[in-house]
Amino acid sequence: MITPTDYGDFLKWMPGENEVINFEYNQKKSQDIVNQADLVFCLDFNALKRINDFGEIVRLSSAKKVMIDHHLQPEGFEDYRLWSNLASSTCELIYWFAEELSFTHLVNKDVASCLYAGIMTDTAGFKHSSTTATTHRITAHLLEKGAESNTIFEAIYDHYSENRTRFIGFCLNEKLQLIKEYNTALICVTADELKRYQIMVGDSEGLVNYGLSIEGVRLSVLIVDRTVARKMSFRAKGDFPANEFARRFFNGGGHFSAAGGESKDPIELVEAKFKDAITEYSNLLSQ
Ligand code: 5GP
């Protein structure tokens, strides 16, 4: 298992986590593994640029590539795909994959716990509209295999540092802007603010949802200055196409109502560009 970047501490309880290789710190090892592989599974992304510089290494490898994913607009780099934008999560598709191959007897407590965590987080706690009866049937099987829903929920959602909790308070109190004319909520976080609260990778996850929970808000955006680039998260309600917006203006993509993008411009410019861009969607955001 190779990841393109580090991930939040709230995932580090997962069985097998100590074997995960972070490409950022182990580029040579990651490259060797991919070059020697017969088969590479690409999970939860469908365009190689999503895994940064590791993408070209994967592209050039002679291994057959199997892409399992549920985001819109696959790039088409793979040899085989199990793809559905209707699936709640990549982990749901992985379970289908195991079922198709009659491998579900191999799903033990550890595997079940990881798949359960993937489905729970990708559906934001079974809340997204992509959560179906099939999703619940699969999670029921995972519980039967030993996944403990309350333990996993606590490990992921009740695991925040004091700094992270205070950072959320700071953002909601001092950084949240409401652009009422466009029913839009916006939070911009500078690199200095991240440093002040010692915000780690993964700590800003979920912050964008607070804006969307305000009554009447149809679009919520979080812009975070991650030094190398400004990362943006979009969450929308109703007919606003977050993925199209992210693609058109911020070199991004994702799902219809949850998408992301990035920009190399200074954060003030990104904020201004965002405010300008939403004016083109007044038919979906205003009234
Ligand atoms: P998040 O806001 O949680 O980082 O991402 C929301 C969704 O948008 C995820 O499904 C993620 O894969 C996708 N996404 C985030 N950033 C980007 C990006 O820069 N490009 C593309 N194509 N998708 C993104």
Side-chain angles (χ1 to χ4, degrees):
M1 176 73 78
I2 302 174
T3 95
T5 57
D6 201 2
Y7 42 88
D9 277 353
F10 62 91
L11 295 175
K12 298 203 168 156
W13 59 271
M14 294 176 81
E17 192 277 330
N18 55 352
E19 290 168 43
V20 175
I21 297 164
N22 180 344
F23 170 73
E24 284 177 319
Y25 307 132
N26 297 284
Q27 302 206 356
K28 171 85 175 62
K29 188 172 176 187
S30 306
Q31 181 162 9
D32 288 349
I33 291 171
V34 167
N35 285 342
Q36 286 160 24
D38 296 318
L39 204 54
V40 172
F41 285 87
C42 298
L43 304 178
D44 208 31
F45 63 93
N46 62 31
L48 287 172
K49 78 171 172 67
R50 296 288 291 126
I51 54 169
N52 311 333
D53 292 346
F54 191 37
E56 285 314 299
I57 295 172
V58 172
R59 195 191 302 281
L60 294 175
S61 147
S62 58
K64 292 272 185 222
K65 285 132 208 149
V66 182
M67 181 268 274
I68 304 184
D69 179 63
H70 67 138
H71 295 92
L72 293 162
Q73 294 180 310
E75 164 193 321
F77 67 84
E78 70 283 356
D79 298 288
Y80 303 100
R81 70 167 62 165
L82 175 54
W83 178 86
S84 168
N85 68 325
L86 300 178
S88 71
S89 52
T90 293
C91 282
E92 180 170 330
L93 290 171
I94 292 174
Y95 193 86
W96 289 2
F97 187 73
E99 259 183 346
E100 285 295 309
L101 297 176
S102 306
F103 278 171
T104 46
H105 63 284
L106 297 175
V107 178
N108 58 22
K109 180 174 178 175
D110 285 353
V111 176
S113 302
C114 291
L115 291 178
Y116 186 94
I119 296 174
M120 185 185 80
T121 49
D122 230 355
T123 56
F126 308 101
K127 154 182 112 170
H128 291 161
S129 57
S130 56
T131 308
T132 61
T134 305
T135 315
H136 284 295
R137 250 176 241 122
I138 291 174
T139 48
H141 288 158
L142 297 175
L143 296 177
E144 282 162 4
K145 298 279 187 179
E148 293 171 12
S149 57
N150 58 329
T151 312
I152 296 172
F153 186 95
E154 274 182 29
I156 290 180
Y157 293 120
D158 296 340
H159 182 86
Y160 296 124
S161 64
E162 180 184 344
N163 274 342
R164 194 264 182 191
T165 306
R166 295 194 187 282
F167 170 71
I168 298 289
F170 164 71
C171 290
L172 298 183
N173 207 21
E174 295 185 31
K175 304 294 302 189
L176 177 70
Q177 303 177 45
L178 272 181
I179 309 170
K180 295 219 164 121
E181 193 187 345
Y182 292 100
N183 294 302
T184 291
L186 164 66
I187 296 176
C188 283
V189 185
T190 66
D192 273 355
E193 289 159 351
L194 292 180
K195 210 161 136 199
R196 191 185 325 154
Y197 286 91
Q198 295 164 31
I199 291 305
M200 305 295 179
V201 178
D203 277 350
S204 56
E205 208 155 309
L207 180 52
V208 66
N209 295 323
Y210 287 93
L212 204 63
S213 67
I214 300 170
E215 195 179 5
V217 166
R218 293 188 202 156
L219 172 64
S220 174
V221 60
L222 172 69
I223 308 175
V224 180
D225 191 345
R226 292 270 176 215
T227 333
V228 275
R230 267 43 67 207
K231 251 329 273 174
M232 316 184 68
S233 285
F234 304 102
R235 298 292 183 273
K237 276 191 180 141
D239 296 334
F240 182 85
N243 60 327
E244 177 202 294
F245 182 81
R247 194 171 54 250
R248 255 186 89 190
F249 296 101
F250 299 103
N251 194 28
H255 305 290
F256 187 81
S257 301
E262 64 175 37
S263 170
K264 296 281 181 199
D265 290 335
I267 194 158
E268 300 76 21
L269 266 187
V270 178
E271 180 179 345
K273 185 174 174 185
F274 170 75
K275 287 179 174 166
D276 197 40
I278 53 174
T279 61
E280 294 194 29
Y281 289 81
S282 60
N283 58 328
L284 295 176
L285 295 173
S286 298
Q287 306 138 32

